[in-house]
Amino acid sequence: MAAKKVIFVVADGMADRPIPKLDRRTPLEAAKTPNLDQLAKDGISGAMNTVDVGVRPGSDTAHLALFGYDPNVYYTGRGPFEAAAVGFDLKEGDIAWRGNMGTVDENLVITDRRAGRISDTTPFADEMNGTVIDGIEFILSPGSGYRIPLIMRGKGLSDQVSDVDTHVANVKVHEPEPLDSSEEAEFTAKVLKKFLQRSHEVFKGMEINTKRAKEGKPQANYLLIRGAGFRPELPNFKDKYNLDAACIAGAGMYKGIARLLGMDVFDIPGATGKPDSNLLAKVDKLKESYNDYDFFFFHVKGADPLSHDEDYEGKVKFLEKFDEVVGELRQFKEAVIVVTADHSTPCTLGEHSADDVPVTIYSPEVRDDDVEHFNERECAKGRLGHIRGMNLMPIVIDLMGLASMFGA
Ligand code: ZN
Ligand code: ZN
């Protein structure tokens, strides 16, 4: 155990842009957040581009950078991260894909990329899971809603195969094509093509689709996959920092990333990864396990989906709920407490943007600054200045007294 502990809080998509209906304030500026403000007063603050200046981060690449894993080196595509999110134990040589259940017509033209936002893909995953074609096993597991990640397992696979999902409707599904001239890519595309044809035939004949037809719902008859990737070779967090780490999160992807890094991952009842999540249950989990770990990755998802829905009022309310959590965490006066976001998700955009995010680091020893409010505008005036996500862990490690000296 290290002498000091770290509570590393990421509020997904928390940062925003000025919103006309909030008098050009951001939701963080509009929300009442006395605890976040106190943390900023006691801590050191700055503005941070998690991946890089001008880069719109995904949550996965941003989190890699926040943990000190350069996404340009370690990111192998979203497929493996979503597969890890649903609890797949990826093995070396596996190819993972992101997938949706989609709807195609008789000419294989996509009429709905999400099969009417079908809410459960379990029957489809169950039907095809474990299929073996030409020595390759196809492993399927239901993701959330219409999502259904796919794993190909066997010898001689390549991730250099094109997407099947066209990303837009009203065009024909793409046939998987090799993206390089290797035997492996050609083989992977060929065996995948067979699997997609077979699964399409099976899906068409499923009772659930007969029922959906009667109800006037789109058929869930095609597996639209994209983003092939190998399992990333990520150095274990414990080996990298010599810290015992635990993940306190509700949403699947963050648990998946934490698992890939070798953190212990808790399942917390009521932590849904949605705005309705029971955030105080997560605090209870942290309190309960506080003596067992050095590093707590504490993830809160709610602000991001609200921002994608352009619900700035909901976001203000959620940030006030999040502030109560920070109030609880501030009780750990001896810990290093980091609060930041993985990226901005402006409600005016409904998407992630490349804007920097506020960051505050509290520790009893920190050389504090004059920042008195935790938000985009005020934190940018702080002593940390403007940093990159990759800078964050080295600062934390130094504040823990664990950094090794460069030079003599
Ligand atoms: Zn995110
Ligand atoms: Zn998002």
Side-chain angles (χ1 to χ4, degrees):
M1 283 287 132
K4 261 185 182 299
K5 293 183 190 290
V6 183
I7 305 173
F8 194 96
V9 185
V10 182
D12 213 287
M14 166 167 61
D16 211 299
R17 289 179 180 169
I19 291 174
K21 287 198 172 130
L22 293 175
D23 298 326
R24 287 197 51 80
R25 290 173 300 171
T26 66
L28 256 183
E29 287 170 338
K32 286 192 184 61
T33 56
N35 293 298
L36 281 162
D37 293 344
Q38 189 63 48
L39 195 79
K41 266 184 205 159
D42 298 340
I44 182 173
S45 298
M48 178 168 65
N49 285 94
T50 52
V51 175
D52 207 343
V53 175
V55 175
R56 278 177 58 207
S59 291
D60 42 15
T61 49
H63 276 77
L64 284 177
L66 290 174
F67 293 134
Y69 294 76
D70 184 349
N72 296 307
V73 175
Y74 293 111
Y75 190 63
T76 54
R78 260 185 93 154
F81 287 87
E82 290 209 355
V86 298
F88 273 134
D89 188 13
L90 287 174
K91 298 198 185 332
E92 210 180 318
D94 286 355
I95 303 292
W97 298 81
R98 307 173 67 194
N100 293 350
M101 284 307 299
T103 308
V104 298
D105 67 13
E106 58 278 11
N107 301 314
L108 299 185
V109 170
I110 300 173
T111 53
D112 189 327
R113 283 186 58 236
R114 302 182 182 96
R117 289 191 173 262
I118 190 167
S119 59
D120 182 13
T121 57
T122 308
F124 307 97
D126 287 352
E127 195 71 31
M128 294 308 293
N129 183 32
T131 304
V132 178
I133 300 173
D134 297 340
I136 300 302
E137 186 184 4
F138 290 82
I139 307 168
L140 287 152
S141 176
S144 63
Y146 49 81
R147 297 182 185 88
I148 178 166
L150 166 71
I151 298 211
M152 299 173 73
R153 177 169 293 166
K155 283 205 168 60
L157 294 171
S158 165
D159 63 353
Q160 293 303 305
V161 175
S162 64
D163 290 357
V164 170
D165 188 357
T166 55
H167 303 261
V168 288
N170 301 318
V171 288
K172 204 173 165 197
V173 292
H174 290 152
E175 294 229 314
E177 301 283 352
L179 294 175
D180 64 23
S181 55
S182 68
E183 236 171 75
E184 288 81 6
E186 199 172 312
F187 170 68
T188 307
K190 201 179 74 189
V191 65
L192 183 60
K193 209 177 291 180
K194 289 186 194 170
F195 175 75
L196 291 170
Q197 275 161 2
R198 190 187 295 181
S199 60
H200 179 48
E201 290 306 318
V202 170
F203 294 151
K204 276 197 292 189
M206 282 173 68
E207 211 173 299
I208 183 170
N209 270 328
T210 318
K211 194 163 158 257
R212 287 178 70 80
K214 277 193 196 131
E215 293 165 352
K217 291 178 181 162
Q219 300 287 288
N221 60 12
Y222 211 90
L223 191 60
L224 293 173
I225 54 172
R226 60 191 187 280
F230 275 116
R231 187 183 104 130
E233 294 304 317
L234 293 166
N236 201 291
F237 192 85
K238 167 90 183 170
D239 295 339
K240 193 170 164 69
Y241 298 114
N242 197 23
L243 298 174
D244 289 311
C247 164
I248 296 180
M253 189 206 277
Y254 309 91
K255 293 182 177 179
I257 292 173
R259 271 193 209 100
L260 286 172
L261 298 180
M263 295 183 188
D264 283 354
V265 178
F266 299 131
D267 281 314
I268 301 160
T272 58
K274 301 202 177 94
D276 69 355
S277 187
N278 185 349
L279 302 185
L280 293 175
K282 293 167 143 179
V283 174
D284 287 343
K285 189 73 203 181
L286 186 143
K287 288 180 178 166
E288 188 187 307
S289 52
Y290 193 70
N291 291 327
D292 303 334
Y293 296 93
D294 304 306
F295 183 98
F296 293 89
F297 163 39
F298 194 105
H299 182 265
V300 171
K301 181 70 181 169
D304 186 60
L306 290 165
S307 312
H308 284 289
D309 290 345
E310 303 177 15
D311 179 2
Y312 63 90
E313 284 167 321
K315 187 170 183 177
V316 169
K317 280 203 194 84
F318 182 82
L319 291 173
E320 291 178 349
K321 176 169 141 176
F322 170 60
D323 187 69
E324 290 173 34
V325 169
V326 174
E328 293 289 323
L329 300 180
R330 280 186 51 236
Q331 294 170 19
F332 296 101
K333 295 237 176 284
E334 297 306 311
V336 177
I337 305 175
V338 178
V339 177
T340 191
D342 54 345
H343 49 75
S344 301
T345 314
C347 291
T348 46
L349 205 61
E351 291 285 348
H352 302 181
S353 72
D355 299 291
D356 54 50
V357 300
V359 54
T360 287
I361 306 174
Y362 161 83
S363 104
E365 288 91 14
V366 81
R367 257 182 356 195
D368 57 350
D369 53 26
D370 296 333
V371 176
E372 300 203 336
H373 295 281
F374 184 88
N375 58 49
E376 298 84 348
R377 191 188 307 266
E378 294 304 313
C379 285
K381 298 174 185 166
R383 189 194 283 280
L384 271 180
H386 198 138
I387 62 172
R388 305 279 196 283
M390 287 291 290
N391 300 138
L392 188 55
M393 276 306 291
I395 296 170
V396 168
I397 292 294
D398 183 48
L399 284 169
M400 293 177 80
L402 299 175
S404 51
M405 191 155 65
F406 176 55

